[in-house]
Amino acid sequence: MEEQESPRGGPPRERGGPPSLRRWTRGQGGAPGQDRLPWRSTIAITVFVLVGSNFAAHVHSGRVPLDGFARVLLLAGCGVLLVRHRHPVVAAFASSAAALVYLGAGYPYGPVFLSVAVGCFAAVTAGYRRQAWAAVGMLWLGHLLVAHWLYRWLPPEGDSAAPWAQEVGVAAWAVAIIAVAEVVRVRREQWARERAGRAAAQKRRADEERLRIARELHDVLAHSISVINVQAGVGLALLDSDPEQARTALTTIKSASKEALGEVRQVLETLRTPGDAPRSPAPGLDRLPELVEQAATTGLAVEVTTTGERTALPPGVDLAAFRIVQEALTNVVRHSAARTARVAIGYEPGALVLGIEDAGPSAGGDAGGSGNGLIGMRERAAALGGTIEAGPPPAGGFRVTARLPLATPAKETQ
């Protein structure tokens, strides 16, 4: 949004998508509880593998019987699963290496592949896909060499080459494990994206609400304090020479401050009780006579003209129109030496057109403005799909023209 430096507002201030998915590892946004070692599941897997391998030793009597070294390999392949959350790559390769040595030693087939499946599954879901595939590939190629070439020199004696159908089964098992792990990984990433999207949407709604409240407070306080400032100056100047006029100025200050406090309280109530209906209706163009009367107390005569067939305005458009007129008149009081201003309200098919103009000239000196008046008006109009044009007309002075569509566009969702 660009602004030109003018007496009616200073230059705009610069104001600053979903977060990247993190891997499911320790210190990188992993699932709750992954910092603790998975003792229970690892013990359960170890017991299953040991019992299943003993059963397999009775079924496959032609293989080397289980001994201490075999049980050490089984315990090592399962024990390394304790670090599968913190170091998934280590778990994948270590369990595969233990299984490969176990098979090369001629021990019977059985649930020895379960530890490999769990280790590679953890690596894939943690985001280490290539490493998991490499670990499985290492095991499969090693088994291929043992079963079809090295079996001549490895136990058991008199062993023959394994049937190729068995190799197809081992390959299918490996692919199935990795495929399931990939599905889980993709699903977890989808969940993470959905959570990130919901968090981003919640933050965006909070930012929009803060911006709305900031605009409301700016418009309320800027207008009321401008009136108070002008009347305080009048009261001080006439306190000795014209006490009655000074009393009138003080009465105006009291009325303006009371109204400002009421509107500020209404805005702040939305912070204390979010979602509740406001206790008093939001201001609209029906309160335009109040703005004219307040402007008159500062010595500014406001002429209001209405064209077109007057229709009921949507609440958002009505509030935005009131605030735009309020801010424009506040700028006239602050920054212009003009004593008259014109407000034109035009009801067109599908749009409300506002025109606020004064003849100038610009008042010198610092009026104490924040420079955000025109920015706030443009933001209000843009939120409704409308436009704001502000600048000096050819005849001099300053003019603000706002066009607000009566059908507000639906907000885009990401």
Side-chain angles (χ1 to χ4, degrees):
M1 181 182 302
E2 296 183 355
E3 289 274 0
Q4 292 184 351
E5 187 173 353
S6 70
R8 305 308 165 88
R13 297 178 181 176
E14 295 182 359
R15 297 185 298 275
S20 60
L21 299 177
R22 297 179 177 179
R23 290 180 175 178
W24 292 72
T25 55
R26 183 187 181 190
Q28 294 181 310
Q34 285 192 347
D35 284 346
R36 298 191 298 269
L37 295 178
W39 286 99
R40 294 180 180 178
S41 59
T42 301
I43 291 175
I45 293 171
T46 303
V47 171
F48 181 84
V49 170
L50 290 175
V51 173
S53 297
N54 284 327
F55 178 78
H58 293 291
V59 175
H60 303 285
S61 56
R63 306 289 293 178
V64 177
L66 293 181
D67 54 15
F69 182 61
R71 290 182 172 84
V72 169
L73 290 174
L74 294 175
L75 288 173
C78 295
V80 76
L81 298 180
L82 282 173
V83 298
R84 65 182 183 270
H85 293 325
R86 298 184 178 184
H87 306 287
V89 176
V90 173
F93 276 98
S95 59
S96 297
L100 182 58
V101 174
Y102 176 90
L103 296 175
Y107 295 116
Y109 291 90
V112 63
F113 295 114
L114 178 60
S115 59
V116 180
V118 175
C120 292
F121 184 91
V124 171
T125 55
Y128 298 99
R129 304 168 60 194
R130 293 181 179 177
Q131 292 87 333
W133 280 100
V136 172
M138 177 191 73
L139 176 60
W140 184 73
L141 289 176
H143 178 267
L144 199 65
L145 289 174
V146 169
H148 294 276
W149 182 39
L150 300 178
Y151 69 91
R152 300 180 181 88
W153 301 281
L154 294 175
E157 294 183 2
D159 193 15
S160 60
W164 283 102
Q166 176 179 307
E167 299 304 323
V168 173
V170 173
W173 166 86
V175 172
I177 292 299
I178 296 297
V180 171
E182 289 285 355
V183 170
V184 173
R185 179 190 63 81
V186 170
R187 187 55 185 159
R188 282 183 174 181
E189 289 184 352
Q190 289 176 348
W191 290 338
R193 281 194 294 269
E194 290 172 1
R195 285 195 300 271
R198 288 193 296 268
Q202 184 176 3
K203 183 179 183 299
R204 184 172 61 251
R205 288 192 295 268
D207 291 342
E208 291 174 351
E209 181 65 11
R210 282 195 293 268
L211 180 60
R212 184 192 69 81
I213 292 173
R215 282 198 300 259
E216 289 293 318
L217 290 177
H218 173 272
D219 292 345
V220 170
L221 296 178
H223 176 74
S224 301
I225 292 177
S226 295
V227 174
I228 291 172
N229 180 63
V230 172
Q231 292 299 322
V234 172
L236 288 174
L238 301 178
L239 185 61
D240 296 326
S241 60
D242 192 346
E244 189 61 32
Q245 186 64 29
R247 181 187 300 274
T248 302
L250 291 176
T251 302
T252 302
I253 290 174
K254 179 180 179 181
S255 175
S257 60
K258 180 179 180 181
E259 179 182 351
L261 286 174
E263 293 200 35
V264 169
R265 187 178 296 112
Q266 178 183 346
V267 173
L268 295 181
E269 280 179 356
T270 62
L271 294 178
R272 300 190 182 98
T273 56
D276 292 351
R279 297 182 181 179
S280 57
L285 288 181
D286 57 334
R287 290 182 53 183
L288 187 56
E290 296 181 21
L291 294 181
V292 174
E293 183 178 351
Q294 288 180 354
T297 62
T298 65
L300 178 66
V302 180
E303 175 187 350
V304 180
T305 59
T306 303
T307 59
E309 183 180 356
R310 184 168 185 174
T311 58
L313 299 176
V317 175
D318 203 14
L319 173 61
F322 176 82
R323 293 303 188 199
I324 290 173
V325 174
Q326 183 184 52
E327 179 61 31
L329 292 180
T330 300
N331 282 348
V332 175
V333 173
R334 280 178 172 177
H335 306 293
S336 177
R339 294 299 85 199
T340 60
R342 292 180 296 276
V343 176
I345 303 175
Y347 291 88
E348 297 183 358
L352 177 70
V353 180
L354 304 172
I356 305 93
E357 182 178 356
D358 69 273
S362 174
D366 182 12
S370 66
N372 291 324
L374 290 178
I375 297 176
M377 285 193 283
R378 285 195 171 97
E379 288 175 346
R380 285 187 181 277
L384 299 172
T387 58
I388 289 282
E389 296 179 3
F398 202 82
R399 176 190 297 161
V400 175
T401 303
R403 184 178 183 86
L404 306 177
L406 299 183
T408 57
K411 290 185 178 180
E412 296 181 1
T413 57
Q414 296 182 352

